[in-house]
Amino acid sequence: MKKLIAILLSLTMVLCLFAGCKAEEKQPEDAQGGNAVDISSGGKHHVEIEVENYGTITVELDADAAPITVANFLKLAQEGFYNGLTFHRIMEGFMMQGGDPEGTGFGGSDETIKGEFSANGVNNPLSHTRGAISMARNGFDMDSASSQFFIVHQDSTFLDGDYACFGYVTSGMEVVDAVCKDAKPTDNNGTIPAAQQPVITEIRVID
């Protein structure tokens, strides 16, 4: 039964994203005009995801394992892209997904990035265990990740090698637990009605 559930969940991870432009060459600036975090030397970076009425999720991002993904996420966060967006897809025992400006699962930023996972020729050792943060993508295009991300609620290692995990929650899993427990999806894909989608007040880049 567990194997069947894992297979069904894997199938539901086929996500649709419309995206498009190539990354700009210039170094981005944050929403307040400051310089973006430099990840050229890799290492760990930290962000806080503030969820309205729930609290703060602190995440450590690993730029050694997934430098392109971390750079993209930090750039969007510093630009204020995520502020006011929602978690539109939530499945208790699996994951909570957000970062879509449309709130439907079909939106994204104006850029897509290379998928940093083994099925796409990238050695990424990070596993989709409880608390992992990873990028959603179109199930048919390995380089279609844009702005949508998900946080793993319970171990979902069947995603390893097919999705770009890029860090882990270091504190605030109780927030993830509460969001997932309260969710009332309308279908087996975890769709949350617009009026009930938890709001991302802000994603703050710490370092």
Side-chain angles (χ1 to χ4, degrees):
M1 176 62 73
K2 289 184 177 180
K3 185 175 181 181
L4 177 59
I5 292 174
I7 292 173
L8 290 173
L9 289 175
S10 181
L11 291 174
T12 64
M13 281 301 294
V14 176
L15 307 171
C16 296
L17 294 174
F18 297 113
C21 302
K22 295 172 66 176
E24 296 181 15
E25 296 294 330
K26 66 180 181 180
Q27 182 74 6
E29 294 185 345
D30 66 21
Q32 288 74 42
N35 291 327
V37 173
D38 180 12
I39 70 158
S40 59
S41 58
K44 303 296 195 297
H45 301 274
H46 302 85
V47 300
E48 291 179 339
I49 303 173
E50 187 74 26
V51 185
E52 188 177 272
N53 299 323
Y54 284 95
T56 302
I57 304 167
T58 303
V59 184
E60 182 175 78
L61 309 179
D62 191 336
D64 293 323
I68 297 171
T69 308
V70 171
N72 177 69
F73 189 81
L74 290 175
K75 171 181 174 290
L76 292 174
Q78 288 181 306
E79 292 174 345
F81 178 89
Y82 289 116
N83 301 348
L85 301 188
T86 63
F87 288 100
H88 63 276
R89 183 171 180 244
I90 305 170
M91 300 175 73
E92 186 176 11
F94 183 22
M95 59 89 228
M96 50 188 274
Q97 180 178 327
D100 175 8
E102 296 182 8
T104 61
F106 292 95
S109 70
D110 61 356
E111 301 176 8
T112 56
I113 58 173
K114 179 179 176 62
E116 295 180 300
F117 43 84
S118 60
N120 204 28
V122 177
N123 179 23
N124 181 343
L126 304 184
S127 181
H128 290 79
T129 53
R130 173 173 163 81
I133 185 169
S134 187
M135 292 300 290
R137 65 177 177 86
N138 183 314
F140 304 101
D141 184 349
M142 294 186 181
D143 298 327
S144 60
S146 180
S147 63
Q148 291 190 47
F149 66 94
F150 60 93
I151 298 174
V152 176
H153 184 214
Q154 299 295 343
D155 291 359
S156 300
T157 56
F158 60 89
L159 299 176
D160 292 354
D162 290 313
Y163 291 86
C165 181
F166 61 106
Y168 295 95
V169 172
T170 57
S171 67
M173 275 305 294
E174 70 278 4
V175 174
V176 177
D177 291 337
V179 169
C180 290
K181 182 179 180 180
D182 289 349
K184 294 178 175 58
T186 58
D187 55 31
N188 293 331
N189 198 43
T191 302
I192 305 299
Q196 299 174 24
Q197 294 174 6
V199 176
I200 300 170
T201 305
E202 181 183 11
I203 297 185
R204 295 182 292 273
V205 177
I206 307 305
D207 57 32

